[in-house]
Structures are given as C-alpha cells and as structure tokens.
Amino acid sequence: MNTTTSAQNASRPGTLRIFTARRIHTMDESLPLATAVGVIDDRIVAVGDMASMMPWREGRGVVVDERLKDKILLPGFIDNHVHPFLGGLMTPTEIIAPEAWRMEGGRIAPAANSPERYRELLTERLAARTDKTDWFISFGYQPSEHGRWTRAELDVLCPDRPVVLWHRSFHESYLNSVAIDKLGITEALVSGHPQIDFASGHFFETGNKVMMARLLPYLLRPDWYHRGLNITAGLMHQGGITTAGDMLFGSADPEFELTALAACIEQPQRPLRIVNILEARGFSNRAVGRKVMGPPDECPPFDEGLKAIELMRARGSRRVVFSKAIKLYADGAMFSQLMQMNPPGYIDGHHGEWLMAPPVLAKGVEVFWDAGYQIHVHVNGDAGMDSVLAALASAQERKPRFDHRFMMHHVGFHTNAQSLRMAALGAHASVNPYFIHALADGYAKLGLGQERADQIVRAGSLARNGLRVSLHSDFMMAPMEPLMLAWCAATRTTKSGRSVAPSERLTLQQALRGITIDAAFGLSMDHEIGSIVAGKKADFTILEDDPFDLGVERLKDVRVAGTVFEGEVHLLPAPLASTLANGAESVPAGLALQTPARESSRPSLRARRGRYRPAPNSCCGPDGDPCVFLRQLSGWMQEPGFLHSTEPPRRH
C-alpha cells in the first residue's frame, strides 16, 4: 500500500483513498469498466483510472491502496430477501444433511448421503460434545436418505443426554426419551394429538409446535441466538453480500429482533447492512392485541398496523435500516406445492392454499398503497399471481402512482400474459432461481408436468417485458451465495444437469445486475448502492476471478475474496467459491472438499390431509417456506413469559 500525504496537500477535508484493481465492473452503463475508484469516508467520489483521480488529489491527504490491485471489483452484492431470524435459530445446530452445507469460517459440513454415513457423522458429532447435560440438536435428518432414527434408536445411541433430530423440511422432529422428559412432555399431555407419535418420539406439523414452543426459550438465549445471527452474518460476508433485505421483520417479536440486530449487526467490524421490510399482518394484529397469525380469510386491522409501523421505522441505525416498505402474502409454498395454480392445476388433483385470501390481500394493498409505501408480496403460483395483479390493478385505478416499485417475490410459476400485465401495472420481481435447480426435475414428474416445471421462474420473460429482475436466496431456502443464484438464473441447470427452457435464461449481464443494481432497485436503494458510481456508498465485492472471463457456465466457480463496506476493506481468510463449485477452490486452504450429496433416484412422498404430494430433499422451511414458519413462530412466542424464560420446562 502506497501512501502520499503532506501538510501542504491536506487543506481539503477528508482523506482520499484510491483503490486500484485489475478490473472494476461498475454495473453502470455510462462507465462500465474502470481500474481505480476514489473514496472519501464512506462515499465514492471518483471512478476511472489513476489519471482521472488527479483533480481529487490536489489539496488533501491521499492513500493509494493497492491491496486489491490483482482483484476484480463489483458493486457489493445484495440479497434482497433473507430471514436473519431463522438463521439465528438454525445455524448453530449440528447440520447433518443429505447435501453439503457451507458453515461458519468457510468450512463445509459434509454430506450424509447414506444411512451408514449419517450414523458415522451423528456419532462423531455426539462424541465431540462432552457436556451430556446440554442439548444436542441436529438439523437435516431425512429418513429416506438416513434410515430409521426414532425414539427407540436414539435411546440406544444416547440414553443419557437430550437429543433432537430436526427433519430437513424443518416441520418434523424426532426426540429421545431424555429430551422428551426435559421438555416436560408427558404421554397424558399429548394423548390423542393426531400429529404426535409419543412412542416413537415423532413430532410433526402442528405436533412440532408442541415441542418447539417448549424448546424455543433455549434457542432464543443470547449465547445461542446471537451466535446464530453472527454465523448468518458471516455467511453473508462469505457470499460477498454487503446489503441484505430482511423480508419479514417483526414477524416474531420486533423488540427481540431489533435488540439482537443491534448486538450482532450494528458492530464496527461488521461489513453488512440489513434493510428491514416490515411484516404488515403481524404489526397490524399485534397493534390491537390479536394473535399475530390469523387465518387466511381474517382481515387484520391494517390501519392500526400502519401506525405501529410508522413508529418502528424511526428506530434505524447505520447498519440496521428501515425501508418505507411492507410485506404481504398471496399463496402457499413452492417447495411443498401449495402455490395456487390455475387450470390444469396439479397432476394429482390437489389444490394450493392461501396465506392471505384475495380480499385480505387487496385490503392490505389498499391501505399501504394509499399511504405511499412500497409493497412486497410473496407469490408462487399463477392463480396466486392473478390475485396480486387484481389487488395492484384496483389500487392503480383508485389512486394512480408512478415508480411505486411494487415487488413480486419468489414468482415460482406464472404465465407470459401475466408478465405483460405486471409490466403494464409497473410491477417488478425478485425471484428465487434456486427453484430451477432444486425443483424442476421432480416437478416434471410429480405435480406440474414437464412443460410447466421446466418453465418455473420465467426470469427471461420478465426481463423481456421490461421488468427489473433481482435474485434472492430466501435463506434458508437456498445458500446466501449470489453468484450461485446468478448461475442458476443464467444457465437454468437442474440437479440432473438438464438446461431447461433456455429462452428463459438471463444473460450474464442481467444475472449480475440481479445481484447488484437491480437488487438495489428492488429495495428502493439504487440511489445509494448497487453500482460503483460517484456519490454512492463505497460498497464493493472483491473477487479472485472475473465472471466476464469465466462466463455464465462457471459463475458458480467464481471465488469471493472479501468485501469493501463503506470504504473499509474486509478480506476473507481465503477466497471461496459457491457450494456448487467444481474443484477444491470452493473451500479455504487446509479444509478438505467434501463429497457432494448423492441424488435420490426416487421422489420422496409424504401423506398430508388425505393426499400425497412431494417433500423434496432440498426443502428448508416448514413446508419449504421460512415465511410460513416465522408467521407460526410469532404465535408460539406470545405465550405468557415465553421470551423471558432462560430454560425450557424441566422434567416434572
């Protein structure tokens, strides 16, 4: 690092720091390439080359920072739909899953893709935890891959410590006898519950609520939850993310969430900002003392929620920002095939579910539209999309607005006609392209048929109709690895290696825009972040490889070396590629690359409500949907004294 300072040239305020790089992709059409960027404090003041920095150098202190001279710079990556609360709960568990997982510090949690491998890893992790009075909680158990592990098997393996195996889908768990006793769950207490098998220690669907409501005080302790939130923030840094949108803030408990964010995110060495999008239904019901999670057809008092949200928005800080934006829902989860579908519907004849019945959604849109808020809506099926478009059209007819940035989130399956109508109404989309990789193969055989399954996440159609298309992980639905998401959107490669609906691919430029400037647009922050332009925040992602050299097929192999956040450099110990990358560059030096997960040759089926529907291996939330889980969680947390307890109920 070269430094140039003198008393004579320090008369202007602010030291100029010039970062040099092998190449800078600005994501700004006016000046797409550069080799130097000048920063004063937290702002970019000049972009170009060393010669173009000269006017800014005169009369002030100058530092030429050459630490990044061999690197590639892009604007700081943005994931505009994550759930930090869920990461806080689940990332501290012992993750033993059918696929490899990126963990804190860049290490890889190896795949357990056979019963023998699962037993080996479970035994190994149990032995490493010597305090047998403490909980052993593992996430990722999947019977179809890992064999039978019920109360009986766990009691043999662990007769003297409490053990919880959380299903990969998250909405099921298996406990041993010590764990059941420690939670104070008796056979008499749960007798007759249709979704608890007490003898086998199996808690599922609403039965899992009984277990989790008693375990949550343990998970919400600062030494667990804060650790999980710190791990989640670390995963964001490993992915090159400098801004993340919490697309459900306040769904559980806004005071608890805000306190934890202040403790874990608002820290001097944390290279990250969280943009909170407030959950309108929860704030509205909470404002009048209702249960936060009401039935789909119960309309919350949105006017009261608006007042509560206005008060909360004033409580932002440097790294924890409140947007003038709210979150609403349409239909159910994509992973569990609960999205609402128009004809021909599902192959097996089942139907989807509403999270908000269309009249409720329309009322929420009306209240917050009229108040000038940006509105984000969770929507997955084409029938769900019809309900959202109807609500938006009604709002536009009643009170026209320009540049309102109404955002459709996830957009699992919709039609080209709906893309055209979205454009006409001024809507845009934040999509989860991981659906393509995770679901297209299975849904072609079970649920949608090949034509519609291959066309899920029609990002190309959205872009052709003039919509801004951003990409998100919906963590923990997909890894927080923006370059991997860009690869999914640009190649549309399924788990079997098929490239589906090539006309719906994004170009390399479009895919990278989806994790930079178009993702910033989706958060209404493109005036501050998303491109490397004078006047914006000095947020950069540092890459070891140039994605424009490697091309779309190798986007998942591009290595992240660190970030610059508001002018401060934060390098990773070693560059990291995505978890789908080829070769040993996907793990830090000294860490062994783990064997990728074996693909199951048959779909996994689960009977629910008298029908069969898929329970995919890659499902990560309850019914594959963190939004649904967090809405449920908010209801459980309202039990008297719940958040103030430091231990779950003890054995009677």
Side-chain angles (χ1 to χ4, degrees):
M1 181 167 62
N2 298 330
T3 305
T4 304
T5 60
S6 71
Q8 184 177 14
N9 69 356
S11 58
R12 294 183 181 180
T15 298
L16 174 67
R17 182 176 296 274
I18 302 174
F19 294 100
T20 61
R22 174 157 53 103
R23 194 173 298 141
I24 300 171
H25 296 284
T26 68
M27 304 310 294
D28 175 58
E29 296 92 337
S30 300
L31 181 66
L33 291 174
T35 55
V37 55
V39 175
I40 296 178
D41 298 326
D42 64 345
R43 296 278 173 178
I44 300 167
V45 298
V47 182
D49 55 19
M50 288 299 291
S52 67
M53 301 291 133
M54 288 305 298
W56 287 92
R57 300 180 67 147
E58 296 298 324
R60 60 166 43 90
V62 178
V63 174
V64 178
D65 193 328
E66 296 184 329
R67 286 177 289 177
L68 311 180
K69 65 180 181 179
D70 297 324
K71 310 294 186 187
I72 304 298
L73 296 186
L74 264 74
F77 291 161
I78 301 162
D79 189 329
N80 62 18
H81 188 135
V82 300
H83 298 294
F85 192 94
L86 190 60
L89 289 178
M90 296 314 300
T91 55
T93 65
E94 292 286 351
I95 295 181
I96 311 175
E99 65 279 283
W101 275 63
R102 177 80 69 198
M103 302 295 289
E104 58 184 318
R107 69 183 178 88
I108 296 289
N113 47 25
S114 69
E116 296 75 21
R117 183 59 170 153
Y118 185 79
R119 173 182 280 275
E120 177 186 350
L121 289 172
L122 182 60
T123 304
E124 176 185 298
R125 304 284 179 85
L126 283 163
R129 290 182 175 260
T130 57
D131 183 1
K132 294 188 177 182
T133 65
D134 198 12
W135 288 88
F136 179 88
I137 304 172
S138 178
F139 170 74
Y141 171 57
Q142 188 162 306
S144 63
E145 295 281 339
H146 299 149
R148 179 181 171 88
W149 284 97
T150 67
R151 180 177 183 172
E153 289 77 23
L154 289 174
D155 282 351
V156 172
L157 184 66
C158 298
D160 54 358
R161 71 184 306 169
V163 175
V164 177
L165 299 187
W166 231 304
H167 195 282
R168 181 68 176 84
S169 70
F170 194 84
H171 56 182
E172 300 181 47
S173 56
Y174 292 82
L175 280 65
N176 69 350
S177 294
V178 179
I180 291 171
D181 287 349
K182 190 168 185 175
L183 291 177
I185 299 174
T186 65
E187 187 169 10
L189 179 69
V190 300
S191 177
H193 195 297
Q195 293 174 326
I196 295 176
D197 184 342
F198 187 78
S200 66
H202 184 200
F203 299 76
F204 54 101
E205 302 290 2
T206 60
N208 206 39
K209 167 184 173 179
V210 175
M211 183 283 295
M212 192 170 181
R214 291 170 174 251
L215 184 60
L216 266 173
Y218 178 86
L219 302 180
L220 294 176
R221 297 169 307 139
D223 57 344
W224 179 284
Y225 182 76
H226 287 191
R227 180 183 171 225
L229 201 52
N230 284 323
I231 292 172
T232 302
L235 292 173
M236 292 179 189
H237 186 217
Q238 292 173 28
I241 295 168
T242 56
T243 300
D246 183 347
M247 201 49 66
L248 209 64
F249 177 83
S251 62
D253 182 281
E255 293 299 332
F256 178 88
E257 294 172 53
L258 195 57
T259 299
L261 287 172
C264 301
I265 304 300
E266 193 54 78
Q267 296 298 324
Q269 294 305 308
R270 181 70 71 199
L272 176 69
R273 74 177 58 82
I274 301 291
V275 181
N276 287 327
I277 312 300
L278 291 89
E279 200 261 304
R281 184 176 208 155
F283 272 90
S284 299
N285 282 332
R286 194 182 292 113
V288 296
R290 288 188 191 175
K291 284 190 174 182
V292 175
M293 186 182 126
D297 58 354
E298 179 183 272
C299 192
F302 287 119
D303 290 317
E304 296 302 316
L306 175 60
K307 297 174 188 176
I309 285 170
E310 287 287 344
L311 292 174
M312 180 58 67
R313 285 185 51 236
R315 299 177 61 182
S317 59
R318 177 186 172 189
R319 290 177 176 81
V320 180
V321 179
F322 284 94
S323 177
K324 188 177 181 180
I326 57 95
K327 172 77 175 294
L328 297 168
Y329 317 88
D331 56 340
M334 183 76 177
F335 268 92
S336 58
Q337 292 194 10
L338 285 181
M339 59 279 197
Q340 290 279 15
M341 298 295 295
N342 285 326
Y346 293 99
I347 293 173
D348 66 358
H350 83 266
H351 62 82
E353 303 289 344
W354 294 109
L355 296 182
M356 281 184 173
V360 175
L361 173 63
K363 182 61 178 178
V365 169
E366 175 187 326
V367 170
F368 289 97
W369 176 274
D370 290 356
Y373 272 68
Q374 183 185 13
I375 298 172
H376 300 261
V377 182
H378 158 121
V379 57
N380 275 310
D382 55 352
M385 181 62 78
D386 278 344
S387 76
V388 183
L389 290 170
L392 175 56
S394 178
Q396 279 283 36
E397 290 169 5
R398 188 186 64 260
K399 185 177 181 179
R401 283 175 56 187
F402 298 92
D403 194 24
H404 49 81
R405 304 193 188 189
F406 192 107
M407 296 295 297
M408 313 291 192
H409 281 255
H410 309 321
V411 197
F413 180 82
H414 79 291
T415 67
N416 282 313
Q418 289 172 330
S419 287
L420 187 62
R421 194 171 182 215
M422 288 166 67
L425 291 169
H428 298 275
S430 176
V431 304
N432 188 341
Y434 193 68
F435 288 166
I436 304 163
H437 183 72
L439 301 179
D441 286 333
Y443 283 19
K445 300 174 183 177
L446 185 65
L448 299 183
Q450 185 161 335
E451 176 194 357
R452 288 181 299 163
D454 285 1
Q455 293 172 7
I456 61 176
V457 190
R458 296 178 188 260
S461 295
L462 294 169
R464 283 192 294 273
N465 279 286
L467 277 70
R468 297 287 191 97
V469 182
S470 51
L471 314 177
H472 67 251
S473 67
D474 197 16
F475 185 74
M476 303 172 54
M477 289 285 283
M480 289 186 291
E481 298 174 350
L483 288 167
M484 183 272 289
L485 297 175
W487 173 81
C488 289
T491 67
R492 296 185 62 86
T493 302
T494 71
K495 281 187 174 182
S496 68
R498 294 190 305 131
S499 182
V500 298
S503 64
E504 294 297 341
R505 294 173 184 160
L506 294 183
T507 66
L508 175 61
Q509 183 76 12
Q510 288 170 333
L512 292 175
R513 286 182 63 92
I515 59 175
T516 55
I517 187 61
D518 288 343
F521 178 93
L523 291 173
S524 293
M525 291 188 67
D526 49 316
H527 62 294
E528 285 274 62
I529 57 176
S531 59
I532 301 177
V533 173
K536 291 192 175 185
K537 291 282 190 180
D539 294 351
F540 317 132
T541 297
I542 307 165
L543 302 179
E544 200 73 16
D545 314 293
D546 192 333
F548 287 90
D549 288 344
L550 269 61
V552 295
E553 295 294 338
R554 295 197 61 200
L555 273 174
K556 61 184 175 56
D557 302 321
V558 174
R559 294 168 293 171
V560 175
T563 61
V564 177
F565 180 73
E566 295 188 350
E568 298 175 355
V569 177
H570 298 265
L571 292 170
L572 294 170
L576 291 172
S578 78
T579 49
L580 292 180
N582 300 315
E585 69 272 21
S586 61
V587 295
L591 292 179
L593 183 69
Q594 305 298 335
T595 303
R598 172 177 59 85
E599 296 302 328
S600 175
S601 60
R602 62 190 185 280
S604 175
L605 297 177
R606 173 176 301 135
R608 214 177 279 148
R609 289 195 287 276
R611 67 175 187 266
Y612 282 92
R613 56 186 172 82
N617 295 348
S618 46
C619 174
C620 301
D623 286 335
D625 195 337
C627 295
V628 178
F629 163 68
L630 291 172
R631 288 181 62 233
Q632 293 172 338
L633 181 64
S634 64
W636 306 346
M637 291 175 64
Q638 292 182 63
E639 296 180 10
F642 183 80
L643 282 176
H644 305 290
S645 174
T646 57
E647 281 287 324
R650 294 288 182 178
R651 182 175 184 170
H652 293 307

